[in-house]
Every structure is written in C-alpha cells, then in structure tokens.
Amino acid sequence: MKPEPGSPSFPDRPGRPDVIVVGGGIGGLGTAFALARQGLRVRVLERAREFGEVGAGLQLAPNCTRILAEYGLLDEAKSLGVLPRNMVMRDALDSRELTRLDLGDLERRYGFPYMVIHRSDLHGIFLHACERAGVELLTDRAVAGYENTGGGARVRLADGRVDEAPLIVAADGLHSVARRELVGDGVVSSDYVAYRAAVPIGEVRGNGVAERDVTVYVGPRCHFVQYALRGGDMFNQVAVFQSPKALAGEADWGTPDELDAAFEGTCDTVRKGIPLMWRDRWWQMLDRDPVDTWVHGRVALLGDAAHPPLQYMAQGAIMAIEDGWVLARHYARQVAAAPAGVAPDWDAVLAAYQAVRVEHCRRVQVTARAWGELWHLDGTPRLQRNALLRARDIGDHSFTDWVYGPTALTPDELPPMFTPIPLSSAAVEDSGDVPPRQAGSDAAEGSRG
C-alpha cells in the first residue's frame, strides 16, 4: 500500500521492502539477517547516526551458539571471543566455592559451546552479515509512531517521513516506542544498578582472578561477575548492587559512592576489582512485566521491546536472537506450504511466532527475577542457599535443560521447567559470620536451586 496523498516518503529507498526492522541493535540485526537469509528484502531503521553497541561482555549459552552455527557465524564469533572452562559461583563475602558448571561437559550435552564475547564484537558480526546479505541499513531514522495499514504497517519518523512494509518488527529496546504505543505499560525498577568495565588482562593479574572461568560472586544485596574477553587479552567485570538511594526514592541513584560502599565487606578479589570499574556511566537494572500479546496487526515486538529481562540468566541478547530465528523459520515454513505464486501468510507466521516465544520468554523473565533474589540473600537465608548449592551434583543439568536446549518452534516443543528446591529444605548451622536478617526467600524458592 502506497503512502496516502501528501505523505512524505523516503527519497533514498530503492523499493518497497518486505520487512522493516526498527532498531539496529543485536536483536534487530540478528532478525534482519535471519529474514534476509530467506530471500526477503529487509530494511533496518536505526535512530543513531551510526551502528554500534555500548557495553562490555556477553555470555552466549548453547541455545545461542547453536543458531550462530546455523548462520555460519560461529567460527567468527569463536575467533573474537573466549571459550571458558567453567562457570563458578562463589560467596562474595568469604570467596568459598558454592557450585560450578563444567562448560566442556555442557557442550557435550547440548552440542554447542558456551562462550563469552564483547558485545560490540557480536554486534559487528551481525552488522557485516547483514551487509553481505543485502540488508538495507539506514541510520539517523528515529521512529516516532506505528500504524497498521490495509496491506501491512507503517512507521512515522520524527522528521515526518513515513515508510511501510507488509511487516514491521519493532526491535527498539527496553524503552520501545512501539511498546509504549501498543501496550502502554512502564518499566519496572529492581532498585539495583550495574557497573561494567573491560580492561587489559594485565591490570587484573595478581588480583586472584580465574582467567579461564566465568566467575560469579554472590553476596548480600550485591554480586560481581568476571571473565576474559577477546582471546584472553581483556578482562570483563560487572558489579551489581542494590541502591539505598533508589530505595529512598531519590532520582539520582546508583552513584559511584554507593558502588564503593556496597562492596566494602566483600572478599579480596572482589574488592580489588571495584577500583577498575568505569565510573562515568552505570546501568539501572530495569525490566517489564511479561505480556501475552506481542503482535499487533502487522507490527511485531521483538527482543527487549517484547520481553526485557533482568540480567541474572544472561539470556537477554540470546532471546532476541532466538526471536529472529523463530520468526524466520516460521516464514520459511509458510513459504514451503504456500502454493506456487501465492504469497506466504504473514498473519500465520506472526501467530506461530507469538504462540511459542511468549511462554519461553515469560519463563526467563520470571526466573531471572527470582534468581536475582537468590543471589542477593543475607543472614540465615544466605547460609541455606549456600548449603543447597554446595550439595548440588556437578553433573546435574535439571536447571539448564529448559533453557540451553534447542529453541522451540511450537508450544509442544517447550521443555518442562525445573522443580524448585525450597530454601527451608536446607539444614544449616548459623556460623555467625553475618548477622541473621529477614530476607525475602519465597521468590528465591521459586528460582533455580
């Protein structure tokens, strides 16, 4: 459908695209590439003046590296990232090991590796893949509104121009314009904030770091993550803590003075890492409540626009990549089923996409919230958590099978969830190293044990 008379249109477009993707982050580019592989003409509209990503490290579990392998991109990702040996969880106060995953064993179980990579490197992989696939990549295009039309949907840009296609994918992030227009809910603050840093490996040698592992130190109202990047030449650190200013309702929260105070009582390795954190920027940890409807006519929400999680399961970017893969696979199925010369049914594609992705992503969002509460326990609940984690069999994959296995294409392919282990089932003696406090253990009992 052409723009209405008098509506400005793009003077620089070579022709009407089959799909417009709004947002040039990892989710948007991953989706654009997935759809372009199916022979579709895809246009990406990015609000910034150039494509890029801000941040540091990403963890890519087997449910993501499986897709990268299918795309022919895994070897390139491996060349830029690191394949760690273990994922180790330690107590942030005394540094004692609580549990671990053997990541070599994980690869044998799921068929694909667990890797870590710089966010900008993964973004660059998808950007170059889109260029090779002929995706039209446009910058400085801020989308201000969405509208369904008779034959698809239309976007209105901030400068008044419009563009349209049979399908529009809104991959415009946590603060999505499409989410605001079509759902109307708000972000939810966890009152936690994240600081990040990626530094040359030489700056952390001598701090007691494990260069070949992903290490997570969990502590009262804080945690600290460490792992190597870029072939081991860089070291990534993430410091997360609950902000007293946020709890007090102050607008300026998560500031560097709070960072220092939050980690004062932690072990040596953590405390030595805190001075290396970037102090000119920090990320408030926000998500949204799960919603059941991502498809509104021919506008489909994707990635953080549809299901922004808290970061505790390291699945945010992965879910966005999975979204694009599922959407493209259902399009391919429709192409195969359509009679010769008949256009695939986009409404059927979108219905199938929503039918399977909503439930999986709801599970991840809810589990991530509970996982965060479990990590940050204090007092007796902390001791109970530690006892349960130490008792875990290192070969037990019951808490990873539901998320690291093959990405489901239909609801019947969704694997069963894990069985929660109540904190109250752990018998511990109060060691007295931390004064017992009342902590919200109910949500933790519903998390990954």
Side-chain angles (χ1 to χ4, degrees):
M1 182 177 178
K2 295 181 180 179
E4 296 175 359
S7 296
S9 60
F10 275 72
D12 53 353
R13 64 183 181 182
R16 183 189 186 197
D18 299 308
V19 181
I20 292 172
V21 177
V22 179
I26 288 170
L29 294 181
T31 299
F33 178 64
L35 294 172
R37 291 178 76 238
Q38 301 300 328
L40 290 164
R41 292 173 297 174
V42 184
R43 174 176 294 155
V44 176
L45 304 180
E46 165 57 37
R47 67 179 299 118
R49 295 194 174 183
E50 59 184 20
F51 288 94
E53 276 284 345
V54 177
L58 279 176
Q59 300 180 51
L60 302 181
N63 56 316
C64 183
T65 54
R66 178 183 294 106
I67 293 173
L68 294 181
E70 181 180 314
Y71 289 170
L73 303 176
L74 182 56
D75 287 343
E76 184 181 2
K78 284 182 177 180
S79 73
L80 296 173
V82 170
L83 299 179
R85 292 178 177 172
N86 301 284
M87 182 184 296
V88 182
M89 181 171 283
R90 296 182 177 275
D91 189 291
L93 301 186
D94 60 23
S95 192
R96 290 180 62 189
E97 181 175 322
L98 302 178
T99 191
R100 68 172 53 213
L101 285 173
D102 180 326
L103 298 181
D105 182 49
L106 207 72
E107 180 173 0
R108 288 186 291 273
R109 182 174 184 84
Y110 300 115
F112 296 90
Y114 195 108
M115 66 177 298
V116 292
I117 190 169
H118 199 288
R119 179 178 290 269
S120 64
D121 290 340
L122 181 62
H123 184 269
I125 288 171
F126 277 120
L127 182 63
H128 298 145
C130 284
E131 291 170 344
R132 294 192 299 269
V135 174
E136 187 182 4
L137 300 164
L138 303 179
T139 56
D140 202 17
R141 301 318 204 263
V143 172
Y146 295 77
E147 177 188 357
N148 278 289
T149 66
R154 175 184 299 146
V155 292
R156 184 184 73 259
L157 273 72
D159 61 8
R161 291 181 291 175
V162 297
D163 202 5
E164 62 183 61
L167 172 65
I168 293 178
V169 176
D172 49 347
L174 173 69
H175 300 288
S176 164
V177 171
R179 178 75 175 241
R180 184 180 68 234
E181 280 197 2
L182 301 173
V183 180
D185 62 339
V187 297
V188 177
S189 174
S190 69
D191 298 325
Y192 278 76
V193 62
Y195 279 70
R196 296 183 170 91
V199 300
I201 192 71
E203 293 189 25
V204 297
R205 287 189 172 132
N207 288 0
V209 303
E211 295 184 32
R212 299 300 302 273
D213 294 339
V214 175
T215 307
V216 183
Y217 293 86
V218 295
R221 296 166 300 283
C222 69
H223 75 267
F224 196 66
V225 182
Q226 295 181 318
Y227 52 84
L229 290 172
R230 290 185 172 158
D233 293 336
M234 296 187 71
F235 201 70
N236 185 64
Q237 299 190 135
V238 185
V240 176
F241 62 91
Q242 187 180 50
S243 164
K245 293 179 182 177
L247 294 173
E250 298 182 27
D252 181 23
W253 58 276
T255 48
D257 58 306
E258 290 192 304
L259 167 70
D260 294 330
F263 290 92
E264 278 181 348
T266 56
C267 64
D268 286 348
T269 299
V270 174
R271 282 188 290 105
K272 288 177 180 178
I274 295 300
L276 300 175
M277 307 310 293
W278 298 329
R279 291 172 177 255
D280 59 342
R281 73 199 97 163
W282 51 90
W283 289 260
Q284 295 173 351
M285 296 189 67
L286 313 171
D287 68 354
R288 291 181 187 262
D289 293 329
V291 291
D292 294 333
T293 303
W294 300 356
V295 175
H296 302 261
R298 291 290 184 85
V299 179
L301 303 178
L302 183 142
D304 280 356
H307 47 76
L310 295 178
Q311 292 92 326
Y312 302 105
M313 290 192 62
Q315 284 283 311
I318 294 173
M319 287 193 293
I321 292 168
E322 286 182 307
D323 287 349
W325 180 82
V326 169
L327 189 63
R329 286 294 297 271
H330 279 295
Y331 173 80
R333 288 185 173 190
Q334 282 294 316
V335 170
V342 176
D345 184 346
W346 271 120
D347 296 322
V349 172
L350 295 175
Y353 162 73
Q354 180 170 267
V356 67
R357 292 305 293 162
V358 165
E359 174 58 17
H360 172 77
C361 296
R362 182 197 67 78
R363 292 176 177 185
V364 174
Q365 285 183 280
V366 171
T367 304
R369 287 178 172 181
W371 194 228
E373 292 197 22
L374 185 70
W375 285 14
H376 298 141
L377 292 172
D378 197 359
T380 299
R382 163 183 166 254
L383 301 178
Q384 292 173 313
R385 175 205 65 200
N386 289 1
L388 288 175
L389 290 173
R390 289 191 188 106
R392 172 186 166 269
D393 183 338
I394 194 171
D396 178 11
H397 295 95
S398 59
F399 297 106
T400 57
D401 282 346
W402 71 278
V403 66
Y404 291 169
T407 303
L409 280 168
T410 58
D412 61 290
E413 292 179 356
L414 287 169
M417 288 288 285
F418 57 86
T419 301
I421 302 175
L423 284 178
S424 58
S425 68
V428 299
E429 295 181 7
D430 192 337
S431 67
D433 59 342
V434 179
R437 299 178 185 172
Q438 292 297 319
S441 61
D442 291 342
E445 291 181 3
S447 72
R448 293 162 61 184

